[in-house]
Amino acid sequence: MFKFKHQCFPVSIHEIYRVFSASSATSLVDSLTESQTDHLTNTNSSMVIAETSIPQFSVSLDPKHYISALFNCKNLNQIRQVHAQVAINGMVHDLPVGNKLLYIYVEHKALADAYALFGGMKDRDPVCWSIMVGGFSKVGDYTNCFGTFRELIRSGEHPDNYTLPLVIRACRNKMDLQMGRLIHHIVCKFSWHSDTFVLAALVD
């Protein structure tokens, strides 16, 4: 594991973990519910609730239920509400749900939330690794992009032809020749040197 060196993460990863523990998730939902109830007494309540609430859904163990709710989220607060529901209902370790939640966090550039979720995932597949590596790369946080990729290699997972181009382009953008050579070695080691996507990134 590595430390964040950029100011884009104002809170520690351990603090974020506590936010989304089961008990904390329950408190989050309760507080949001109380807050929305108070707003109903105000004349402008409809505007406030439109920004903070998500469509209500019942307890469900169907992953599609939460994935659909995530697609309906318009802002980070709504995403966190769904995350809380996912944690309460024991779906946080369902890989499709976890990956979609991770993706939505990254799309909203909430990298601290994304990495906290990623760090607590029991199972990781190539999709979640690719989302996390690509997320750091997109915001120009190449230190954590490379760090996450190193974590992938050390975990024993094999990089795929989605993750490798992301790291290769990060090397180009950072003009890091040493890291580029290391990635090239990894490309050859895992026999990705003839893959169209990887080759395109190498010659880009």
Side-chain angles (χ1 to χ4, degrees), residues 3-56:
K3 296 181 179 178
F4 290 102
K5 299 182 179 179
H6 294 264
Q7 295 180 354
C8 57
F9 301 101
V11 294
S12 71
I13 292 302
H14 295 293
E15 289 173 336
I16 298 171
Y17 281 147
R18 288 196 293 270
V19 171
F20 293 110
S21 64
S23 60
S24 297
T26 303
S27 299
L28 174 60
V29 172
D30 291 342
S31 64
L32 288 168
T33 302
E34 291 173 3
S35 176
Q36 290 174 4
T37 302
D38 292 339
H39 285 313
L40 289 172
T41 60
N42 299 326
T43 56
N44 296 325
S45 62
S46 59
M47 294 180 62
V48 177
I49 291 177
E51 293 179 357
T52 61
S53 63
I54 58 172
Q56 297 298 310

Side-chain angles (χ1 to χ4, degrees), residues 1 14 19 48 56 75 87 89 98 103 106 108 119 144 147 151 156 162 168 174 178 182 204:
M1 197 63 65
H14 295 293
V19 171
V48 177
Q56 297 298 310
N75 54 54
N89 296 330
Y103 172 79
V106 167
H108 283 75
N144 286 319
E151 190 181 351
Y162 291 98
I168 292 168
K174 193 173 184 290
Q178 183 178 359
L182 175 61
D204 188 10

Side-chain angles (χ1 to χ4, degrees), residues 94-176:
D94 181 272
L95 200 52
V97 174
N99 283 345
K100 184 57 63 177
L101 185 55
L102 193 67
Y103 172 79
I104 295 295
Y105 272 138
V106 167
E107 284 295 293
H108 283 75
K109 297 182 180 179
L111 274 300
D113 295 84
Y115 193 77
L117 173 64
F118 179 77
M121 294 175 80
K122 290 181 178 179
D123 299 310
R124 295 174 180 174
D125 64 0
V127 174
C128 63
W129 284 107
S130 184
I131 292 171
M132 205 67 252
V133 169
F136 284 127
S137 180
K138 284 181 181 178
V139 299
D141 188 351
Y142 302 121
T143 298
N144 286 319
C145 172
F146 296 150
T148 305
F149 184 74
R150 288 191 188 97
E151 190 181 351
L152 185 162
I153 299 300
R154 290 168 183 166
S155 72
E157 292 283 345
H158 290 191
D160 62 14
N161 60 340
Y162 291 98
T163 307
L164 283 168
L166 294 170
V167 184
I168 292 168
R169 292 191 177 98
C171 292
R172 177 201 63 190
N173 294 340
K174 193 173 184 290
M175 294 186 288
D176 190 332

